[in-house]
Amino acid sequence: MAEAGAGSPHGGDAAPPGPPEEQELSRRLRRLYPAVNQDETPLPRSWSPKDKYNYIGLSQGNLRVHYKGHGKNHKDAASVRATHPIPAACGIYYFEVKIVSKGRDGYMGIGLSAQGVNMNRLPGWDKHSYGYHGDDGHSFCSSGTGQPYGPTFTTGDVIGCCVNLINNTCFYTKNGHSLGIAFTDLPSNLYPTVGLQTPGEIVDANFGQQPFVFDIEDYMREWRAKIQSTIKRFPIGDRLGEWQAMLQNMVSSYLVHHGYCSTATAFARVTDTTIQEEQTSIKNRQRIQKLVLAGRVGEAIEATQQLYPGLLEHNPNLLFMLKCRQFVEMVNGTDSEVRCFSARSPRSQDSYPGSPSLSPRHGSTNSHLHSTGADSPTCSNGVMSTKSKQSHSKYPALSSSSSSSSSSSPSSVNYSESNSTDSTKSQQHSSTSNQETSDSEMEMEAEHYPNGVLENSSTRIMNGTYKHEEILQTDESSMEDSCPQRQLCGGNHAATERMIQFGRELQILSEQLCREYGKNTVHKKMLQDAFSLLAYSDPWNCPVGQQLDPIQREPVCAALNSAILESQNLPKQPPLMLALGQASECLRLMARVGLGSCSFARVDDYLH
């Protein structure tokens, strides 16, 4: 008998599909089975070369199956299972098998079997094995005796097998037409299986490598509509008012969490809900978030220390994350520490008498590490505060060799003199500020700031944090002027030197935290990734260049915002996000225990 590859459109024993084919397969599988986490539960993509009887030969990337036994009687039957079982999260799973050649007798079986079922048999003959056979059209359900089911099939036919993990049934298709239910009460964790018995029998499998002959997506849409209708019809009864109040409070707290001050106020007025946090505090958090999302992390650190004394000192992991991000933004040319050099040539601090500083106090020396708390000296603008007290912080200050120019003074955000709850002082301070913005202007919207240059993009949410559309307006022109092209530290030599010095101080901070708290692999990787940017002539197009993507600011922003809220005895995560997270986890647990309906009850379907 000729080898199975003979006459194949793929030609011989072809190698596994190349990258384009694999990419197309991955896209199709993601579209068909969006609820499946393929890292945890991989989908079947081919037949297993290890889980088969020795009379089975595989080729064409383990998609083609041919019989190579004697074929004298049923004892010569041979089967092969797919590489992985069907994940319950599929909800509905489908594969097709094309009969390339029926061989001598066409004793072929297509179906399902559990792990461990004897492979020296056709599918359906043994317990936890199910098959539809081509020679007689019978279905076999864990028994050697078949039941009349459908037509026979032969060379050229395409037989599909659909497993419904919602109601645990299975039906077959022939050349794109459904043949009706074949099996019910199926167990979970079944593998696609084919069996052959006589010489010359050859079949090709399609696990999604090609479009299916049967319109499985239409069948999936029907079941998705059924599941979603069941959810919508869930009885609420007399608890409607109670549920509405709960949902309104969840929405209100979400708006407050992310700093949508005017929207939260309007929503609270309409729904008669109470905002737990003062507007001044909300706006202060929002302004800090804006600084982080604009890449001005140093200023965000100073503002946090000014408004929330002790917060960073009690959160060394958060401080280190912020400092690593500040280093990345220096490389990017967006942090104030290096942006100030682009506007003026390097000069001493005394040359900038009017520069603003938000640091609570700076020590008499500044050659050490950045403080983590209320006593911490900071260097976001490269300025030593003349109003501050002597530092007695746990961590010495990161040094600063330069200052922002007086022209950058209006770009500083205004904060209350004492803390986030001192609304009177904050309002007085804001009334005289060049940076005063209305509530509507303070709403956080989506925008990218690659290398400090504004780009238009659609609004989006990542990690529960909005990327904002506007930064402080007086800085847009300076950012565009200083970084029209992507260059290290904006292409300024003095800024590069400051960045290198900052990196040395960051290394010292890392060593000090290691001595005090022990080794931290997360810190080590964070630092290595940040420093690795300097090993490439074009950091934006290198293996670690994704750090420079503005989207990477969002988790840092979210972590800082949550820490601020927690320090004020407010929830670090809004209840709405917790509810969504719990719903998603519930669906994952449903998938693990084999409840297929989870696939059509995805949280994302209700967020658009």
Side-chain angles (χ1 to χ4, degrees), residues 259-264 286 290 438-445 468-470:
Y260 300 101
C261 194
S262 60
T263 306
Q286 184 190 66
K290 278 176 160 258
S438 68
D439 284 348
S440 60
E441 288 174 328
M442 295 303 292
E443 297 296 333
M444 310 281 281
E445 298 179 12
H468 58 293
E469 185 172 65
E470 60 170 53

Side-chain angles (χ1 to χ4, degrees), residues 470-508:
E470 60 170 53
I471 58 168
L472 304 176
Q473 296 175 354
T474 54
D475 269 29
E476 279 187 18
S477 59
S478 66
M479 291 172 73
E480 291 173 356
D481 293 340
S482 63
C483 308
Q485 296 179 350
R486 297 197 303 187
Q487 301 179 54
L488 189 69
C489 297
N492 185 279
H493 179 69
T496 303
E497 289 184 342
R498 172 67 196 115
M499 178 266 297
I500 293 173
Q501 176 61 27
F502 187 93
R504 293 192 184 105
E505 295 157 358
L506 186 55
Q507 176 66 40
I508 295 172

Side-chain angles (χ1 to χ4, degrees), residues 40-52 79-88 90 93-97 109-119 121-124 126-132 140 161-163 165 170 172 183 186-195 205 207:
E40 294 182 359
T41 53
L43 287 159
R45 292 181 176 227
S46 64
W47 302 114
S48 172
K50 298 179 180 179
D51 195 5
K52 68 181 184 65
S79 293
V80 58
R81 270 186 286 266
T83 51
H84 301 285
I86 300 168
C90 290
Y93 180 80
Y94 185 75
F95 71 100
E96 288 182 341
V97 174
I110 298 169
L112 309 159
S113 66
Q115 180 69 48
V117 171
N118 187 1
M119 290 284 92
R121 307 270 285 170
L122 290 184
D126 298 308
K127 187 177 181 180
H128 295 151
S129 180
Y130 310 86
Y132 168 36
F140 291 76
C161 179
C162 179
V163 182
L165 296 117
C170 169
Y172 289 89
F183 309 114
L186 292 175
S188 58
N189 294 317
L190 294 175
Y191 291 71
T193 306
V194 295
F207 294 104

Side-chain angles (χ1 to χ4, degrees), residues 174-320:
K174 180 180 178 182
N175 300 327
H177 300 284
S178 173
L179 301 179
I181 299 295
F183 309 114
T184 60
D185 301 319
L186 292 175
S188 58
N189 294 317
L190 294 175
Y191 291 71
T193 306
V194 295
L196 309 175
Q197 189 176 314
T198 63
E201 295 171 352
I202 306 171
V203 298
D204 281 348
N206 177 11
F207 294 104
Q209 284 81 3
Q210 303 293 331
F212 293 120
V213 176
F214 178 72
D215 189 356
I216 189 62
E217 293 187 64
D218 185 59
Y219 180 72
M220 288 178 168
R221 280 190 290 271
E222 291 179 13
W223 273 93
R224 182 176 293 108
K226 289 180 183 179
I227 296 300
Q228 294 180 350
S229 176
T230 301
I231 294 172
K232 291 176 181 177
R233 294 198 311 268
F234 182 82
I236 296 176
D238 298 335
R239 301 185 64 187
L240 177 60
E242 178 186 339
W243 284 31
Q244 283 182 330
M246 182 187 302
L247 290 173
Q248 288 167 356
N249 282 322
M250 292 172 75
V251 172
S252 176
S253 63
Y254 179 87
L255 294 171
V256 170
H257 178 91
H258 292 295
Y260 300 101
C261 194
S262 60
T263 306
T265 301
F267 184 82
R269 186 165 52 247
V270 171
T271 60
D272 196 27
T273 54
T274 303
I275 296 178
Q276 301 297 324
E277 187 179 7
E278 292 187 15
Q279 284 199 13
T280 303
S281 178
I282 298 172
K283 290 181 179 180
N284 285 334
R285 284 193 298 103
Q286 184 190 66
R287 288 165 178 151
I288 291 173
Q289 289 181 77
K290 278 176 160 258
L291 288 170
V292 175
L293 294 173
R296 294 157 59 181
V297 182
E299 292 175 70
I301 292 172
E302 287 207 36
T304 302
Q305 292 173 321
Q306 174 73 16
L307 295 166
Y308 307 100
L311 171 65
L312 295 180
E313 179 160 318
H314 293 98
N315 289 273
N317 290 334
L318 176 60
L319 171 69
F320 191 78

Side-chain angles (χ1 to χ4, degrees), residues 359-546:
S359 176
R361 54 175 172 263
H362 290 271
S364 56
T365 62
N366 57 353
S367 60
H368 302 292
L369 302 177
H370 194 296
S371 169
T372 59
D375 299 334
S376 57
T378 58
C379 59
S380 105
N381 291 318
V383 184
M384 296 287 289
S385 172
T386 57
K387 299 179 181 180
S388 59
K389 302 176 184 179
Q390 291 294 318
S391 173
H392 301 285
S393 172
K394 180 177 180 181
Y395 304 112
L398 282 166
S399 67
S400 178
S401 59
S402 65
S403 168
S404 21
S405 66
S406 58
S407 65
S408 68
S409 182
S411 71
S412 297
V413 189
N414 290 292
Y415 302 89
S416 59
E417 290 292 323
S418 58
N419 57 45
S420 60
T421 58
D422 193 343
S423 58
T424 304
K425 290 184 180 180
S426 176
Q427 291 167 1
Q428 291 173 349
H429 190 93
S430 298
S431 65
T432 59
S433 167
N434 293 329
Q435 205 55 43
E436 174 68 20
T437 55
S438 68
D439 284 348
S440 60
E441 288 174 328
M442 295 303 292
E443 297 296 333
M444 310 281 281
E445 298 179 12
E447 199 65 45
H448 291 283
Y449 290 88
N451 205 30
V453 181
L454 183 64
E455 288 185 353
N456 292 325
S457 65
S458 59
T459 304
R460 61 192 293 183
I461 304 176
M462 284 293 292
N463 298 319
T465 303
Y466 274 96
K467 298 182 73 176
H468 58 293
E469 185 172 65
E470 60 170 53
I471 58 168
L472 304 176
Q473 296 175 354
T474 54
D475 269 29
E476 279 187 18
S477 59
S478 66
M479 291 172 73
E480 291 173 356
D481 293 340
S482 63
C483 308
Q485 296 179 350
R486 297 197 303 187
Q487 301 179 54
L488 189 69
C489 297
N492 185 279
H493 179 69
T496 303
E497 289 184 342
R498 172 67 196 115
M499 178 266 297
I500 293 173
Q501 176 61 27
F502 187 93
R504 293 192 184 105
E505 295 157 358
L506 186 55
Q507 176 66 40
I508 295 172
L509 174 59
S510 173
E511 293 169 357
Q512 180 169 346
L513 291 175
C514 184
R515 286 194 299 270
E516 294 187 16
Y517 299 101
K519 292 183 179 180
N520 189 313
T521 55
V522 175
H523 286 186
K524 182 178 180 180
K525 186 177 188 309
M526 207 181 296
L527 198 64
Q528 285 179 340
D529 287 347
F531 287 173
S532 294
L533 291 168
L534 304 184
Y536 300 91
S537 57
D538 183 1
W540 291 267
N541 294 299
C542 73
V544 291
Q546 73 278 1

